[in-house]
Amino acid sequence: MKKLLFFIIFFINLALAKAHSGDTINVPFGTTPTINGINSSGEWNDAYILQVFTNGFYNDIYIKQSATHLFIAFESPYSGSTGIYLDKLHNGGTSPQSDDIWIHGSAGSFEFIGNGSTWQQQSTNSNWNFTVNNTNQFSEYQILLSKLGISSKTNNLIGVLFSFIDWSNGSEI
């Protein structure tokens, strides 16, 4: 059995980690959720639930995996735009490295890869799916484990950052 461990980081802007939770999470295996932006009764009960306080809001973050996918869902203090930054090698740094992926869901899906100094947008977004529900401010992501370089029956430690954009003033939290 493989273990997927997350090292969770919460941040204010793209370049600098402002708040670091210091949590290491053993991501449990669970049932495959329906990626529809609705937190259906019992759908995330088998997930690890992390409650964080950021920018005046409490957010629940749900994390689980299947044999092939990583599932992440969270409540957002703002509707319409969420993102997940994944540091596949968990090697940190203040500039986006080539192992770093930023997936962003809003009116469309966007994927960026670090190139050592900045983020470079990819022309095609593959091996992940999302739904951001503007009504209930709930976002769900499904990411193929192979996209993260994770193979079966291995232990992995990856860094994860979450972002929310307040479109009323254009700030990212």
Side-chain angles (χ1 to χ4, degrees):
M1 178 178 290
K2 63 184 169 185
K3 281 187 182 177
L4 179 61
L5 300 174
F6 276 165
F7 197 69
I8 306 296
I9 302 171
F10 299 94
F11 67 102
I12 302 299
N13 63 42
L14 298 178
L16 181 63
K18 292 273 194 164
H20 194 296
S21 73
D23 294 304
T24 301
I25 297 169
N26 186 358
V27 178
F29 281 87
T31 58
T32 299
T34 302
I35 306 300
N36 61 2
I38 299 170
N39 189 357
S40 299
S41 179
E43 183 176 40
W44 290 93
N45 285 355
D46 54 357
Y48 184 94
I49 302 172
L50 176 67
Q51 188 175 70
V52 297
F53 186 76
T54 54
N55 206 32
F57 294 95
Y58 280 100
N59 305 92
D60 288 333
I61 299 173
Y62 305 85
I63 305 170
K64 63 181 173 176
Q65 67 176 312
S66 70
T68 56
H69 288 85
L70 170 65
F71 304 102
I72 301 173
F74 46 91
E75 299 165 350
S76 169
Y78 308 107
S79 60
S81 183
T82 61
I84 303 172
Y85 295 78
L86 299 158
D87 179 3
K88 295 189 301 183
L89 297 179
H90 192 254
N91 56 2
T94 57
S95 298
Q97 303 301 309
S98 60
D99 66 300
D100 299 339
I101 300 173
W102 170 23
I103 60 175
H104 170 83
S106 56
S109 59
F110 304 93
E111 179 178 324
F112 301 83
I113 303 294
N115 68 6
S117 61
T118 189
W119 294 102
Q120 181 175 345
Q121 186 169 356
Q122 299 298 292
S123 57
T124 59
N125 307 319
S126 62
N127 299 321
W128 64 278
N129 183 31
F130 82 101
T131 297
V132 176
N133 188 315
N134 291 328
T135 303
N136 66 11
Q137 299 175 322
F138 192 70
S139 301
E140 294 179 296
Y141 286 80
Q142 173 181 300
I143 307 162
L144 197 63
L145 290 175
S146 62
K147 181 170 191 65
L148 305 176
I150 298 172
S151 58
S152 183
K153 300 187 192 268
T154 61
N155 293 335
N156 298 274
L157 182 65
I158 61 175
V160 178
L161 298 88
F162 299 92
S163 69
F164 315 99
I165 296 178
D166 179 359
W167 289 111
S168 68
N169 63 19
S171 67
E172 183 173 26
I173 62 169

